[in-house]
Amino acid sequence: MASEKVETVIAGNYLEMEREEGDSKSAKGKLSKLFWHGGSVYDAWFSCASNQVAQVLLTLPYSFSQLGMLSGILFQLFYGLMGSWTAYLISVLYVEYRTRKEREKVDFRNHVIQWFEVLDGLLGKHWRNVGLFFNCTFLLFGSVIQLIACASNIYYINDNLDKRTWTYIFGACCATTVFIPSFHNYRIWSFLGLMMTTYTAWYLTIASLLHGQVEGVKHSGPAKIVLYFTGATNILYTFGGHAVTVEIMHAMWKPQKFKLIYLIATLYVLTLTLPSASAVYWAFGDMLLTHSNALSLLPKTGFRDAAVILMLIHQFITFGFACTPLYFVWEKFIRVHDTKSLFKRAIARLPVVIPIWFLAIIFPFFGPINSTVGSLLVSFTVYIIPALAHMVTFASASARENAVERPPSFLGGWAGSYTMNIFVVVWVFVVGFGFGGWASMLNFIRQVDTFGLFTKCYQCPPHKA
């Protein structure tokens, strides 16, 4: 009887979404539909894949130099699968929360559901507070990293200005993302973003193979345990881009179709990250230990300049991906989230950009900051908390019996699901947060000691600094 009720609610939910989709087709112009309004499975896939591999593509060869080739490849495959599993858990919890609320006749048409609200609705305010803290802090530093990457990349085309000055300029440019209402409106940007990273990944691969190995190349990784865990944690960060899963799902017309989207996106991303990181590391070896941005080692050509420009545009898009959930939280805090005026919401969002700008100027350590954020924030935000939340939500027999989405039978049902969740929690806490946090903080402190806070030009050649 309970399962019939659930099916009725979901069917009603689907029909309502399809009606909204149809209305938008009749009301909006064709151009608006094509570029602005995206809620399909394909839009969600482009959003996930585009958001997952951004500037981190340029730092993965650096991680390979810390880990060695074999460990680098294995960690990418391992964390890619683990990230897909926890993204699936987040999607299950979202559908569970939304279905329960819609049974209570709650209307979400003018409200974007976020991860902390899912935790609040399913598990209470303490879970909400923890989820809100980790999610917001991670997305804040995720936005900071995109800004640092913009300055790091443009420097390879124009070194007349130092990286700090470029950070000021790109901070102003990225502030324009306040005018993009939600993930529903990232249709063309997600598509273009993925095309840009695809070009850059294959440029890195082909350019490195054509360049060949540098004279006397050495591949000594893994040489130090600190560097090993720092590199592993950067890969943990790479496949931890699903902190915006709930917002992407909410932008879909049929959110329950999200289940496998993140896994398929991850498989595509691996076709970009594995060849590019392997090829660059093969060509340059240990030189990457002091060159965290792979573009810095390749000769200046039109193809490299194109890669830099495309990555800059993509980093602008990814800044928007990371910052949009922060905009939503801020809007809800100051009570303007329900207003229909786009201009009012945009003005209200501007204060969110200021601390991001400031932090990017204080900590311009492109590469090491990824590992630090990965170990201290990503580990909890998108691995440990979703796995624990899923276990606690379905701890009772009645909750499992009435679950909207049951675990796949080929993984062993509920027993298999709990086994995987426990493994994720223990592994990420010990290896990601524990060893990874220790190693990445040591490396980060070393960067501060070497270059100082507010450094004008991180890892720039001495005569140009």
Side-chain angles (χ1 to χ4, degrees):
M1 192 72 182
S3 62
E4 283 176 22
K5 274 188 189 175
V6 169
E7 285 167 16
T8 307
V9 171
I10 294 172
N13 197 21
Y14 274 11
L15 290 171
E16 182 186 330
M17 289 177 190
E18 284 169 352
R19 232 182 359 258
E20 285 176 15
E21 180 186 356
D23 292 344
S24 71
K25 282 183 178 177
S26 61
K28 304 293 181 185
K30 287 184 178 178
L31 276 177
S32 178
K33 264 191 325 185
L34 182 63
F35 295 117
W36 191 245
H37 289 285
S40 70
V41 168
Y42 300 103
D43 290 305
W45 182 82
F46 278 116
S47 291
C48 288
S50 178
N51 182 50
Q52 192 177 119
V53 60
Q55 51 71 38
V56 78
L57 184 72
L58 306 176
T59 66
L60 284 173
Y62 167 66
S63 296
F64 269 47
S65 70
Q66 297 169 321
L67 287 164
M69 186 77 80
L70 179 62
S71 289
I73 292 169
L74 292 176
F75 269 117
Q76 280 203 41
L77 295 170
F78 177 65
Y79 282 134
L81 289 172
M82 189 182 283
S84 300
W85 171 252
T86 52
Y88 166 73
L89 297 180
I90 293 170
S91 74
V92 167
L93 293 170
Y94 167 85
V95 171
E96 184 73 28
Y97 167 77
R98 182 159 181 173
T99 306
R100 288 186 191 181
K101 286 296 179 185
E102 285 181 348
R103 281 186 213 155
E104 299 166 9
K105 309 297 183 193
V106 177
D107 186 357
F108 290 112
R109 271 174 289 195
N110 288 323
H111 183 93
V112 176
I113 299 172
Q114 293 189 267
W115 176 231
F116 72 92
E117 292 168 317
V118 172
L119 291 173
D120 188 19
L122 295 176
L123 298 167
K125 66 178 183 179
H126 296 303
W127 282 83
R128 176 200 67 196
N129 294 340
V130 171
L132 186 62
F133 169 77
F134 277 107
N135 204 261
C136 288
T137 313
F138 166 44
L139 291 170
L140 179 80
F141 278 96
S143 304
V144 168
I145 288 168
Q146 299 311 319
L147 206 47
I148 293 168
C150 285
S152 177
N153 288 344
I154 192 65
Y155 186 78
Y156 299 120
I157 289 183
N158 184 336
D159 57 8
N160 293 324
L161 298 176
D162 59 68
K163 290 182 183 178
R164 189 201 296 168
T165 306
W166 281 119
T167 305
Y168 292 134
I169 294 166
F170 279 103
C173 294
C174 288
T176 58
T177 57
V178 297
F179 290 102
I180 301 176
S182 76
F183 284 97
H184 191 70
N185 310 108
Y186 271 94
R187 164 167 271 185
I188 190 66
W189 293 115
S190 296
F191 173 76
L192 290 175
L194 193 56
M195 295 305 100
M196 291 166 187
T197 46
T198 300
Y199 169 86
T200 304
W202 286 108
Y203 159 73
L204 288 172
T205 306
I206 295 165
S208 298
L209 294 174
L210 291 176
H211 180 279
Q213 291 185 312
V214 294
E215 191 176 345
V217 66
K218 288 183 180 176
H219 299 91
S220 58
K224 295 180 181 175
I225 195 163
V226 171
L227 294 180
Y228 188 83
F229 284 109
T230 303
T233 312
N234 187 38
I235 295 177
L236 179 83
Y237 169 83
T238 304
F239 295 98
H242 44 291
V244 294
T245 298
V246 169
E247 289 83 359
I248 291 173
M249 284 186 74
H250 193 82
M252 292 176 71
W253 292 309
K254 295 181 180 180
Q256 212 184 20
K257 287 193 172 183
F258 184 87
K259 283 185 289 188
L260 290 174
I261 287 175
Y262 195 86
L263 174 62
I264 298 165
T266 298
L267 294 175
Y268 179 77
V269 164
L270 286 168
T271 69
L272 306 181
T273 57
L274 286 172
S276 59
S278 302
V280 177
Y281 179 53
W282 170 81
F284 297 101
D286 289 354
M287 287 176 70
L288 285 157
L289 289 169
T290 53
H291 295 80
S292 54
N293 188 328
L295 291 171
S296 64
L297 289 171
L298 288 162
K300 186 175 170 62
T301 62
F303 291 111
R304 191 188 79 160
D305 288 353
V308 170
I309 292 164
L310 291 176
M311 286 305 286
L312 284 172
I313 300 168
H314 185 260
Q315 275 143 16
F316 163 81
I317 297 165
T318 314
F319 181 94
F321 272 126
C323 225
T324 298
L326 295 176
Y327 295 152
F328 293 154
V329 172
W330 180 248
E331 285 171 5
K332 290 168 186 176
F333 179 70
I334 61 172
R335 300 177 188 274
V336 297
H337 185 62
D338 296 332
T339 185
K340 292 189 177 179
S341 168
L342 178 59
F343 184 73
K344 278 184 186 173
R345 286 177 68 191
I347 295 300
R349 289 171 167 190
L350 279 172
V352 176
V353 181
I354 294 166
I356 294 168
W357 211 347
F358 186 63
L359 287 166
I361 292 160
I362 299 177
F363 304 118
F365 311 125
F366 186 65
I369 194 172
N370 296 17
S371 299
T372 308
V373 170
S375 61
L376 303 183
L377 299 172
V378 176
S379 55
F380 284 95
T381 306
V382 293
Y383 292 100
I384 293 173
I385 292 174
L388 285 175
H390 187 266
M391 288 192 286
V392 176
T393 299
F394 298 108
S396 68
S398 61
R400 293 194 296 275
E401 180 65 31
N402 296 318
V404 177
E405 181 70 42
R406 293 168 184 270
S409 56
F410 68 87
L411 288 176
W414 288 108
S417 168
Y418 270 71
T419 303
M420 289 184 70
N421 289 343
I422 291 166
F423 174 78
V424 168
V425 171
V426 174
W427 177 276
V428 176
F429 186 79
V430 174
V431 177
F433 175 70
F435 291 116
W438 162 74
S440 57
M441 280 305 295
L442 279 180
N443 192 35
F444 189 80
I445 291 164
R446 191 177 296 136
Q447 306 304 313
V448 175
D449 290 343
T450 305
F451 296 96
L453 299 176
F454 296 99
T455 185
K456 278 183 90 172
C457 215
Y458 177 64
Q459 287 189 342
C460 297
H463 63 284
K464 290 181 181 177

